[in-house]
Amino acid sequence: MKFSYVMLPDYPLDETIESIKLADRLGYYACYAADETWHKDLWLLFAAAARETTDIRFGPSLSPITLREPTLIAQATATLDELTGGRAECVLGSGNFGLLAQYGINWAKTKPLSRLKEAHHVVRTMLDNGAITYDGEFFTYSGLFSFARPVQQRVPVKLGAMRGPKSFQVAGEISDGVHHALSYTKQAYQYMVDNVRAGAERAGRDADSLDLGAWIVFATGPDSQAAKDAARAMVGLYASAMPVEQLERNNVNPSELVDIVTAVGQGEIARAFELTPPELADRLSVAGTPEECADKIRSEIISTGVNHLILAITDTALVKAFSGMELPGVLTMSEQLQLIHDQVMPAFEAQPA
């Protein structure tokens, strides 16, 4: 079982690099970040962290192929791989639908899955060969090349997926794995794993070799209620991006979120917190004491075959930045990274990697 964490890169840069250095010392598999205009640039951030770390891997989870040209994603990934001595990877996706709307892009009209498959081919080809000639539906190149070359023989290129089933199956068919964001039930992860395996088997690939990642809103600490309040403060923001089908697989009726999503859309995060019942927040996060978190991960997630936990850690600074609220008893990012290492990871040491 691999443990990674994913951040919204909005913290002061010095603090962010210190948390990455801590995660590196503690043995986390990777540090990921959102590649979105709303946040600080992850590529520059990871370049700065590269020389101050030795083992932790880096990459976007995810990079939006609707906004960032795939050959430029490949160029940045290859450059980051050289800087880190072979520790880069990338996760591709259509992008945050709310962000796309701010660019005047209706994601549903972009043929998202067809575009993603083509973008994956472009990124894979550029990383493997350093050049591409291609005439596709969305991307066209004639003799394009780059001197940005990775250190790894094969840089992992994964897909981000939420709705399914086709996106999960495509990940199994063509990519090195999938990061499935914002699911918290055994039903949801079994659906993901089964469809990834179906795609892999159809393509004659070994499904057991793929990275099957659970990207989850997460908060922990000795004060269970404080941790759950921290997750609750962010649930509405994240849930607004969840498709109806995914909500239902997580035992959530979409009607439960209407007022919450409206408040998020109006920038009223504190009001969204008030409108989010604690019971709903519990369904859409993993939060509480380390023991509570480990129990939910064990029963709802890894029992399905997921082999990679990607923790979107919610801390005091993140809650305050988005909502203006100060929640007492919530641990910092670094404190949670340490506590996860000390009291959550050991519960899964016997699990197969």
Side-chain angles (χ1 to χ4, degrees):
M1 178 61 58
K2 300 189 292 287
F3 277 81
S4 298
Y5 79 110
V6 58
M7 69 173 73
L8 299 180
D10 299 324
Y11 301 86
L13 294 178
D14 287 346
E15 291 181 18
T16 303
I17 291 174
E18 286 303 313
S19 73
I20 294 172
K21 288 165 63 177
L22 174 62
D24 183 48
R25 293 195 299 271
L26 294 175
Y28 282 78
Y29 172 78
C31 174
Y32 301 102
D35 188 9
E36 297 170 342
T37 317
W38 294 328
H39 315 294
K40 295 175 184 178
D41 185 87
L42 72 89
W43 301 101
L44 291 174
L45 168 63
F46 288 162
R51 297 300 176 87
E52 301 203 42
T53 55
T54 57
D55 297 307
I56 196 166
R57 299 176 68 79
F58 295 103
S61 184
L62 46 77
S63 195
I65 54 92
T66 311
L67 294 178
R68 194 182 287 277
E69 215 282 336
T71 58
L72 298 181
I73 297 174
Q75 176 197 42
T77 302
T79 304
L80 183 61
D81 199 58
E82 182 180 358
L83 278 170
T84 58
R87 292 183 281 134
E89 55 186 60
C90 71
V91 184
L92 305 174
S94 296
N96 185 301
F97 300 153
L99 179 60
L100 296 182
Q102 292 181 332
Y103 279 90
I105 298 171
N106 181 343
W107 69 269
K109 294 182 179 180
T110 65
K111 297 185 178 180
L113 187 55
S114 296
R115 185 184 295 267
L116 183 59
K117 289 171 66 177
E118 198 168 292
H120 175 272
H121 170 76
V122 172
V123 172
R124 181 79 273 158
T125 301
M126 285 294 288
L127 286 171
D128 290 347
N129 302 331
I132 187 169
T133 293
Y134 180 72
D135 185 12
E137 181 180 0
F138 307 100
F139 308 105
T140 299
Y141 314 97
S142 177
L144 180 65
F145 64 90
S146 175
F147 288 114
R149 305 301 298 128
V151 173
Q152 295 175 87
Q153 184 175 1
R154 179 181 172 89
V155 177
V157 180
K158 308 169 189 179
L159 300 185
M162 294 173 69
R163 175 178 274 114
K166 291 183 180 178
S167 57
F168 298 138
Q169 292 173 13
V170 165
E173 289 174 1
I174 68 173
S175 79
D176 295 309
V178 61
H179 286 188
H180 178 41
L182 306 175
S183 278
Y184 305 92
T185 65
K186 187 171 184 177
Q187 176 190 359
Y189 280 107
Q190 197 65 63
Y191 183 83
M192 182 268 279
V193 171
D194 288 348
N195 277 287
V196 172
R197 288 188 174 278
E201 290 169 6
R202 187 161 57 234
R205 308 178 74 215
D206 179 10
D208 291 332
S209 69
L210 302 180
D211 184 82
L212 301 176
W215 193 115
I216 53 176
V217 175
F218 184 93
T220 194
D223 185 332
S224 175
Q225 191 57 55
K228 290 179 178 180
D229 282 344
R232 180 182 165 206
M234 301 299 291
V235 158
L237 181 70
Y238 287 113
S240 63
M242 295 175 69
V244 169
E245 302 94 324
Q246 185 184 12
L247 287 169
E248 292 172 346
R249 291 195 294 269
N250 282 277
N251 300 324
V252 175
N253 187 322
S255 64
E256 297 180 73
L257 287 167
V258 172
D259 292 341
I260 299 168
V261 171
T262 298
V264 169
Q266 294 171 344
E268 299 176 354
I269 306 299
R271 175 163 171 71
F273 173 81
E274 295 172 0
L275 292 170
T276 303
E279 187 271 336
L280 176 61
D282 285 345
R283 277 183 279 159
L284 293 176
S285 65
V286 174
T289 64
E291 294 78 14
E292 289 174 312
C293 292
D295 286 345
K296 186 167 185 177
I297 289 168
R298 185 181 297 106
S299 63
E300 300 294 334
I301 300 178
I302 67 165
S303 59
T304 64
V306 167
N307 56 25
H308 189 182
L309 293 169
I310 304 149
L311 310 179
I313 296 174
T314 302
D315 70 346
T316 51
L318 196 62
V319 170
K320 186 173 183 179
F322 276 88
S323 69
M325 298 185 298
E326 296 197 24
L327 299 178
V330 179
L331 300 187
T332 66
M333 172 73 77
S334 291
E335 288 170 336
Q336 291 193 54
L337 287 169
Q338 185 71 55
L339 189 60
I340 293 162
H341 169 270
D342 294 345
Q343 297 187 31
V344 178
M345 288 184 185
F348 302 97
E349 287 178 351
Q351 297 294 329

